[in-house]
Amino acid sequence: MSEEKKNTPAERGSGMGSQPGNEFDRRAFFVKLGLGSLSIAAAGTAAFSYQFLSPNVLYEPSPIVNAGKPENYAVDSVTMDVNAGIYLIHAQEGFFALSAVCTHLGCLTAWKPELGIIACPCHGSKFTRYGVKIEGPAPRPLPWLQTSISDEGDLMVDRSITIRPMQFVRV
Ligand code: FES
């Protein structure tokens, strides 16, 4: 008489009694898969929430340029600050600053000391050192920029404020 143990239907359905190691592996696999999916979803939610809550602001550099001490600029000199896109000019009448951006299509102009003019390399506009247009397609003169002396005695140029021409800063 053999004593063969028969599995109940519940045991057969769950795999209990037949291959106990496989059942444990499958359950552990699905637990890990679920946790992994939850982790990925949580990370995505966190990233999206951070982006949503961050202020949607464009940080731009300050329009104010510190051009340094007035004594650094010889009389009758035209000094270009390429990074700031300005000219700092020390004329007989005093200091002033011009935008170096051409009023035609926005190219950066250049000072031509041999000719004593500011010239645009793109379409040939030419300006005097006071920004007055001499020739070319530029529709307007180069703008004068607000220039002042700081408490520390530095020349400060505010590129966001244009002023009427011929307003010199005297030191
Ligand atoms: S951009 Fe200066 S002349 Fe056209």
Side-chain angles (χ1 to χ4, degrees), residues 38-162:
L38 281 175
S39 301
I40 292 170
T45 303
F48 182 78
S49 300
Y50 175 77
Q51 192 177 15
F52 179 75
L53 294 174
S54 301
N56 196 11
V57 177
L58 186 64
Y59 295 100
E60 293 185 353
S62 169
I64 298 173
V65 177
N66 185 333
K69 301 294 181 199
E71 51 266 30
N72 295 338
Y73 299 91
V75 178
D76 279 334
S77 65
V78 177
T79 306
M80 184 180 192
D81 183 334
V82 175
N83 294 326
I86 61 170
Y87 294 105
L88 202 299
I89 298 161
H90 188 183
Q92 297 286 346
E93 304 94 322
F95 292 91
F96 65 100
L98 290 178
S99 168
V101 179
C102 182
T103 55
H104 180 219
L105 294 178
C107 288
L108 203 60
T109 58
W111 168 242
K112 301 290 180 189
E114 67 280 8
L115 302 173
I117 61 166
I118 295 169
C120 180
C122 292
H123 311 101
S125 288
K126 294 181 173 63
F127 308 86
T128 68
R129 69 172 63 196
Y130 296 96
V132 177
K133 191 185 98 172
I134 303 169
E135 65 179 52
R140 294 180 305 281
L142 295 176
W144 284 51
L145 303 173
Q146 188 176 72
T147 307
S148 58
I149 299 287
S150 71
D151 293 342
E152 291 76 32
D154 294 338
L155 283 161
M156 306 299 288
V157 179
D158 190 337
R159 294 174 292 173
S160 67
I161 301 176
T162 58

Side-chain angles (χ1 to χ4, degrees), residues 9-33:
E11 287 173 335
R12 282 198 298 274
S14 67
M16 285 176 66
S18 55
Q19 293 173 329
N22 284 352
E23 171 59 19
F24 176 75
D25 288 345
R26 193 185 324 164
R27 190 170 290 170
F29 169 75
F30 281 114
V31 167
K32 286 179 182 170
L33 185 67

